[in-house]
Amino acid sequence: MGLDKPSHELAQPSFKVLGMRVYLSILLKICLSLCCSRVTENAKNTLASLKRENPQFEPTLAIIQAHNDQLIQEANKNFAKEIGLRVIHICLPESSTKDEIVSEILRLNEDPNVQGLALDLPESLYSSKVLNAVKPEKDVDGLSSVNLGRLLHGDDCLVPPTVCAVMELLGDIGGKKVLLVGVRGAEGAALQSVLQRQGAAVLSCHCKAPQLQSELGHADTVVFGSAKPDDVPVSWIKPGATVIYGAHDLLSEKHNHAQQNNTAAEKTVGSLAVAMRMQNMVKNMERCIHSQRHRKWDFHSLKLQPLSPVPSDIEISRAQSPKAVDVLAKEIGLLTDEIEIYGRTKAKVRLSLLERLKDQPDGKYVLVAGITPTPLGEGKSTVTVGLVQALTAHLNINSFACLRQPSQGPTFGVKGGAAGGGYAQVIPMEEFNLHLTGDIHAITAANNLLAAAIDARILHENTQSDKSLYNRLVPVVNGVRGFSAIQLARLKRLGINKTDPGTLTEEEISKFVRLDIDPSTITWQRVVDTNDRFLRKITVGQANTEKGFARQAQFDIAVASEIMAILALTTSLQDMKERLGRVVVANDKKGEPVTAEDLGVSGALAVLMKDAIKPTLMQTLEGTPVFVHAGPFANIAHGSSSVLADKIALKLVGEKGFVVTEAGFGADIGMEKFFNIKCRASGLVPSVVVLVATVRALKMHGGGPNVTAGAPLKKEYTEENLQLVADGCCNLQKQIQITQLFGVPVVVALNVFKTDSPAEIDLVCKIAKESGAFDAVPCNHWSAGGRGAIKLAQAVEKAANQKNSFKYLYSLELPIVEKIRTIAQKVYGAQDIELSPVAQSQVDRYTQQGFGNLPICMAKTHLSLSHQPERKGVPTGFILPISDVRASIGAGFIYPLVGTMSTMPGLPTRSCFYDIDLDPITEEVKGLF
């Protein structure tokens, strides 16, 4: 008889002589060894292939053991080593309670370095509480209720290792009668299910049952849950039957069954079960890797029932029940350990996803910009939300919206929130507009820590000798004096290659401790996220404790902080840390830049920002995903949401999906900065520009009366006036031309209001197409949700397949002044630029300091193409005045000031906060819009 035949054929009734029984026993042991070798070799080859494809992957199996059986521990280690798995044993006392076991399981569940979890416990500890504590995706033993449920239903799952071993030894069991003796619990249920699926007739019996002798006499195969009970004579077992011992331990393998006077083929599963456990671990790795690859979304939209007239934004938001954020995350392919949940509807997404999906092709990248707006805004956020609702909820195309986090200044001031509006908004809108996940508070804390460090350093340098400063900056701790890592970096920048504080010369000590900040050059201001006009100019240092070192300063609004711009442009935690270190806060008395790293504070800033760097996941009214991340000021900064949010979203949507993001203000400001600054930082190439226009704004550009926030619109804006619309389309045509400078297809989205006439709508779309737009589409998403933007979504999808010849407007190698001139002439339509003496001096200084190759971020009014807000339409022939030039070196751009630019808004007479209130019973926020 060949050894390659199924194992049950080795146990035929013809073997009746003792010598043949010994021979059979040897054959069975050889068979068992061959089975283990084959299983191990297959697992080894599979794992090696997985590692070749995923070289960064190091699969780790954690085994919780609560007994002293060293044989099992050694078997696990040996099989794992042969296969190439890393195994860690957590050895607990035999007296451990179930709660102690569960506590250890929960810890390992959350360990991202552990991909599989197995249990080697005394029988008394195998309870449903313990087994179900193991995460199903880490359950290598396959004994959790989730896994067993899949097994019983015939779904894809891991079969428990002992069951696998039993089935391996039995071979073809179809039509056989199988008796399970003392096989209980989860393994018993799993074994019975698998046997029945293989066509066996299965009967289960307790080892003390009165009918046991009769059943043993008729069974073709007997599986004992442990070693055969002593009070069960061998003679009870049917001659030629196959007997399996499913013991958890390996000691039963040392029993000498050859001494037993029976012709049954007896087999133990101990070592084979361990091999099968390792095989399960490898299968788990295959599933893990497969689950980490991009797959089609299993998305379920939320249904909308739009009302007419359209209720307030907050009423609409409240009427919808959002999905739990973990449900949304699962639908779009996020893994459990890639999200950090904040409440029920928000979650931070970890940057590790970028590594997991690094080989996944990006989706299409869509930018929403606008024409020169009225003070009321023209609805770019609403269009962005309506577009993704149409794409995903109605056209079944993966899409993501990436939006800026709104400042609380405008929310409580005059503009209100920024969650979109009507039936195209992000929900819950009060959570979107208030606090969110605390990113702006983290920015405020980091910004003000740096501001405090500047003034404190000036004070200490002015009141202490070099020696005193050195002793305090490099103190003796526990008898040892040493530099911190950031101090060593400063020494290296100074050209002092020493690591022992005791070896510095007096001159080197002076260079090290003295920053010599010139207070008149300090550009770093404190911030607060509130519109507070009385903080626009303040005096700091007036207390007697500051010893007369007072100076004039100011507060900016928090979103104007350079740290916000850094957050929006950074590409990784390391990149953010380096950018924070490069922040220039002032010049020293020799005219050289002083940085956050010189102050020794950059590491602490990174600590304060470590959670803020993760985008926040939310959803639209129709349940489509949204990233809310960063919100830099759109005048002195670039006004776009984060690079990281875009990059993560582009991976999640897949190659045929769409990521829709927004640029602040009109295309002349927001879009130009998006392309020349953000796209340079990210390396991403836009597929389409959606240019938002309104009939209202076009009438204003055509000569209509002034539009004022809070005041009723004049009749020119509420009655049909085709001439005003036609005259105002010059601004739309100019913005289309600006888009074409960058070589990107443009689709015009006409945001329709109820006062717009059909003739006005048709006229705008006709002129837009004649002016070079790929398409022009009226949109009703505000009143109808995603259904009202379906035609826009279809136009965007078609435009994304057009030839794209994206290019930057200017080369970074150009001098600073020439880059400013290029923007002024080609984008704004200026005749030329004029720099003030202050601006020219700053340009010269930044060039001398080595910052001349940075992109330009123009700080200009958004209410006109020119520097004069009252000049509407398309002004020409003007000279653009540059009053000052400043630098955000950490963010990575130079920002010229066109005229006077306030970085701290003020509150109006009638602020939004008059309408905002809290219901003390329901805790509902009222009055937000």
Side-chain angles (χ1 to χ4, degrees):
M1 185 187 337
L3 295 180
D4 58 341
K5 292 187 178 180
S7 57
H8 70 283
E9 293 187 18
L10 299 175
Q12 296 303 316
S14 56
F15 294 106
K16 296 182 179 180
V17 184
L18 180 59
M20 295 303 292
R21 288 204 302 269
V22 173
Y23 178 61
L24 175 61
S25 179
I26 293 171
L27 286 177
L28 291 174
K29 289 180 181 178
I30 294 172
C31 178
L32 183 63
S33 176
L34 289 173
C35 286
C36 288
S37 297
R38 179 168 49 78
V39 171
T40 303
E41 188 64 24
N42 288 341
K44 179 180 178 180
N45 291 338
T46 302
L47 185 60
S49 176
L50 291 175
K51 286 184 174 181
R52 281 194 300 272
E53 295 172 5
N54 306 271
Q56 78 288 351
F57 211 56
E58 186 182 1
T60 300
L61 170 65
I63 301 175
I64 299 176
Q65 182 173 315
H67 56 72
N68 295 321
D69 188 346
Q70 296 301 313
L71 285 171
I72 289 182
Q73 185 170 330
E74 284 302 312
N76 280 313
K77 286 182 178 178
N78 291 337
F79 277 110
K81 182 178 180 181
E82 187 174 349
I83 289 171
L85 288 169
R86 177 172 174 261
V87 170
I88 54 174
H89 274 87
I90 294 87
C91 298
L92 303 179
E94 285 192 73
S95 58
S96 298
T97 65
K98 292 177 182 177
D99 286 340
E100 289 169 338
I101 301 292
V102 168
S103 177
E104 193 63 33
I105 290 171
L106 296 178
R107 181 184 70 81
L108 293 167
N109 278 345
E110 300 309 315
D111 187 341
N113 297 316
V114 171
Q115 292 81 32
L117 182 53
L119 306 175
D120 282 335
L121 307 173
E123 199 69 36
S124 60
L125 292 178
Y126 278 105
S127 67
S128 59
K129 177 181 179 179
V130 171
L131 295 175
N132 289 324
V134 180
K135 271 187 176 180
E137 58 266 31
K138 291 191 177 186
D139 181 17
V140 171
D141 286 339
L143 295 176
S144 66
S145 295
V146 170
N147 195 74
L148 287 174
R150 291 172 180 160
L151 180 65
L152 294 173
H153 284 91
D155 297 334
D156 181 47
C157 64
L158 291 180
V159 179
T162 302
V163 175
C164 286
V166 169
M167 298 307 296
E168 181 72 23
L169 293 173
L170 290 179
D172 184 6
I173 200 70
K176 300 289 182 68
K177 183 176 181 180
V178 180
L179 178 65
L180 307 182
V181 182
V183 182
R184 303 183 302 275
E187 281 187 341
L191 179 57
Q192 187 163 342
S193 174
V194 174
L195 286 167
Q196 288 173 338
R197 195 169 298 125
Q198 295 297 319
V202 185
L203 183 66
S204 186
C205 186
H206 192 274
C207 59
K208 298 293 185 183
Q211 72 274 25
L212 177 60
Q213 180 177 358
S214 172
E215 296 298 342
L216 286 170
H218 293 90
D220 301 309
T221 297
V222 181
V223 180
F224 287 100
S226 58
K228 180 177 66 62
D230 293 336
D231 55 353
V232 177
V234 174
S235 59
W236 287 9
I237 299 173
K238 176 182 176 181
T242 300
V243 179
I244 303 290
Y245 296 111
H248 282 287
D249 61 76
L250 301 180
L251 294 175
S252 58
E253 292 193 359
K254 297 194 174 291
H255 294 171
N256 184 1
H257 303 298
Q259 300 301 315
Q260 298 175 349
N261 186 24
N262 183 50
T263 57
E266 298 172 337
K267 311 176 187 182
T268 55
V269 302
S271 58
L272 183 55
V274 175
M276 291 294 185
R277 169 183 278 175
M278 300 304 154
Q279 179 175 266
N280 272 5
M281 177 63 185
V282 174
K283 288 180 179 177
N284 214 36
M285 291 304 93
E286 286 186 286
R287 291 180 180 182
C288 179
I289 291 171
H290 179 73
S291 70
Q292 290 182 1
R293 292 176 181 147
H294 182 269
R295 57 186 183 276
K296 185 172 174 60
W297 289 2
D298 183 20
F299 181 80
H300 303 278
S301 63
L302 299 176
K303 299 303 177 186
L304 272 186
Q305 294 181 327
L307 301 176
S308 183
V310 177
S312 70
D313 289 350
I314 198 162
E315 287 175 322
I316 293 172
S317 176
R318 289 261 169 78
Q320 184 64 286
S321 296
K323 306 172 191 176
V325 72
D326 57 331
V327 173
L328 173 63
K330 186 175 181 181
E331 286 182 347
I332 62 174
L334 285 163
L335 306 182
T336 306
D337 61 358
E338 289 174 342
I339 60 171
E340 299 169 4
I341 294 176
Y342 285 65
R344 186 177 178 275
T345 56
K346 306 185 296 290
K348 286 283 194 184
V349 175
R350 293 175 179 158
L351 307 189
S352 58
L353 177 143
L354 287 171
E355 176 63 26
R356 172 170 71 87
L357 296 180
K358 65 182 179 181
D359 297 325
Q360 165 67 27
D362 287 347
K364 305 291 187 181
Y365 197 28
V366 180
L367 175 67
V368 176
I371 63 170
T372 305
T374 68
L376 305 178
E378 309 317 307
K380 293 192 305 296
S381 298
T382 309
V383 169
T384 300
V385 175
L387 175 55
V388 294
Q389 287 182 174
L391 283 165
T392 302
H394 297 274
L395 299 181
N396 199 29
I397 298 170
N398 292 356
S399 74
F400 234 108
C402 292
L403 299 178
R404 292 175 291 171
Q405 179 184 355
S407 165
Q408 288 179 181
T411 299
F412 290 102
V414 66
K415 183 178 180 291
Y423 287 101
Q425 57 174 302
V426 181
I427 58 171
M429 66 95 75
E430 60 267 46
E431 293 189 28
F432 178 92
N433 287 307
L434 302 172
H435 302 297
L436 197 66
T437 48
D439 293 356
I440 292 180
H441 301 313
I443 289 164
T444 302
N447 185 100
N448 293 344
L449 173 62
L450 180 51
I454 296 166
D455 287 317
R457 186 59 175 261
I458 293 172
L459 172 68
H460 295 315
E461 288 189 25
N462 284 340
T463 57
Q464 297 179 53
S465 66
D466 289 352
K467 183 178 179 181
S468 296
L469 276 170
Y470 192 59
N471 287 338
R472 286 178 170 85
L473 287 171
V474 193
V476 176
V477 179
N478 297 325
V480 179
R481 193 177 202 180
F483 294 115
S484 69
I486 203 164
Q487 289 176 327
L488 288 169
R490 172 163 166 74
L491 286 169
K492 189 174 181 180
R493 289 196 303 277
L494 292 171
I496 303 172
N497 296 313
K498 296 180 180 179
T499 58
D500 182 355
T503 61
L504 267 66
T505 66
E506 287 187 7
E507 182 183 358
E508 289 170 338
I509 287 173
S510 182
K511 284 177 66 178
F512 173 72
V513 300
R514 297 277 171 197
L515 296 180
D516 281 331
I517 295 171
D518 180 353
S520 68
T521 66
I522 295 173
T523 56
W524 195 262
Q525 310 297 345
R526 289 166 173 83
V527 300
V528 63
D529 198 34
T530 303
N531 288 2
D532 192 344
R533 65 176 67 244
F534 281 87
L535 295 178
R536 288 171 178 170
K537 183 173 285 189
I538 61 171
T539 302
V540 297
Q542 289 188 318
N544 292 334
T545 51
E546 275 53 74
K547 304 178 182 179
F549 295 108
R551 67 178 181 89
Q552 275 201 343
Q554 68 183 59
F555 268 79
D556 294 336
I557 195 162
V559 293
S561 169
E562 184 178 345
I563 294 178
M564 175 63 91
I566 287 172
L567 177 66
L569 291 171
T570 193
T571 55
S572 68
L573 196 55
Q574 180 63 34
D575 179 56
M576 182 178 74
K577 187 176 176 182
E578 292 171 1
R579 286 175 179 268
L580 290 169
R582 292 198 298 267
V583 167
V584 173
V585 299
N587 292 328
D588 65 19
K589 291 170 184 176
K590 295 178 181 177
E592 294 301 315
V594 177
T595 67
E597 195 164 24
D598 291 327
L599 284 158
V601 73
S602 56
L605 301 182
V607 168
L608 288 170
M609 293 294 294
K610 71 179 181 65
D611 292 320
I613 197 173
K614 304 164 191 169
T616 298
L617 177 65
M618 293 187 75
Q619 63 194 283
T620 68
L621 277 167
E622 297 191 57
T624 66
V626 178
F627 274 141
V628 186
H629 199 216
F633 231 33
N635 47 26
I636 67 164
H638 61 290
S640 300
S641 59
S642 78
V643 165
L644 281 169
D646 293 354
K647 281 179 170 283
I648 292 172
L650 285 164
K651 295 298 182 186
L652 286 170
V653 298
E655 192 171 7
K656 296 182 179 179
F658 286 80
V659 170
V660 184
T661 191
E662 179 187 343
F665 298 151
D668 57 305
I669 301 180
M671 184 188 71
E672 181 272 314
K673 294 177 182 179
F674 182 94
F675 289 152
N676 285 318
I677 298 174
K678 185 175 179 180
C679 288
R680 274 191 164 104
S682 68
L684 299 174
V685 175
S687 308
V688 186
V689 168
V690 173
L691 191 64
V692 179
T694 62
V695 168
R696 176 181 67 195
L698 293 172
K699 286 180 175 179
M700 179 190 71
H701 288 297
N706 288 338
V707 176
T708 305
L713 289 171
K714 301 290 176 59
K715 66 180 180 63
E716 286 86 349
Y717 296 104
T718 58
E719 298 175 359
E720 183 179 287
N721 190 321
L722 295 176
Q723 188 59 53
L724 271 184
V725 173
D727 292 345
C729 277
C730 62
N731 188 271
L732 173 60
Q733 292 169 312
K734 173 63 175 174
Q735 303 288 7
I736 292 172
Q737 290 167 12
I738 294 170
T739 307
Q740 291 171 334
L741 288 174
F742 297 92
V744 182
V746 57
V747 173
V748 171
L750 183 62
N751 195 12
V752 175
F753 288 74
K754 63 181 180 180
T755 53
D756 299 344
S757 74
E760 289 173 329
I761 293 169
D762 291 343
L763 178 61
V764 173
C765 293
K766 177 176 178 290
I767 292 174
K769 292 175 186 177
E770 290 173 351
S771 302
F774 174 81
D775 204 348
V777 184
C779 308
N780 297 286
H781 45 273
W782 182 81
S783 58
R787 191 173 299 282
I790 289 176
K791 289 184 178 179
L792 174 63
Q794 291 169 334
V796 167
E797 186 181 14
K798 290 177 183 176
N801 293 318
Q802 299 299 301
K803 182 181 178 182
N804 187 323
S805 53
F806 174 71
K807 56 184 177 292
Y808 300 119
L809 185 66
Y810 53 79
S811 166
L812 293 180
E813 305 304 315
L814 285 175
I816 291 174
V817 171
E818 287 307 309
K819 285 182 280 195
I820 297 172
R821 181 174 284 113
T822 298
I823 296 170
Q825 292 177 337
K826 291 189 176 181
V827 177
Y828 306 152
Q831 180 179 325
D832 204 351
I833 61 173
E834 183 177 63
L835 273 69
S836 71
V838 171
Q840 186 62 60
S841 173
Q842 288 292 80
V843 167
D844 294 341
R845 172 172 288 171
Y846 292 139
T847 302
Q848 181 268 327
Q849 290 176 341
F851 304 138
N853 287 344
L854 293 177
I856 302 299
C857 183
M858 299 290 285
K860 181 187 77 70
T861 179
H862 61 293
L863 297 175
S864 171
L865 285 163
S866 74
H867 58 287
Q868 298 167 301
E870 68 278 5
R871 296 188 68 177
K872 305 301 180 183
V874 183
T876 57
F878 59 93
I879 305 296
L880 191 74
I882 309 299
S883 59
D884 198 359
V885 176
R886 299 175 187 169
S888 292
I889 304 303
F893 52 74
I894 303 289
Y895 63 98
L897 300 181
V898 180
T900 303
M901 188 61 57
S902 174
T903 52
M904 171 53 80
L907 290 171
T909 304
R910 182 62 161 80
S911 299
C912 293
F913 60 66
Y914 281 97
D915 302 307
I916 296 172
D917 201 0
L918 180 71
D919 187 320
I921 306 300
T922 64
E923 298 186 11
E924 284 190 346
V925 176
K926 299 178 179 179
L928 278 178
F929 70 94

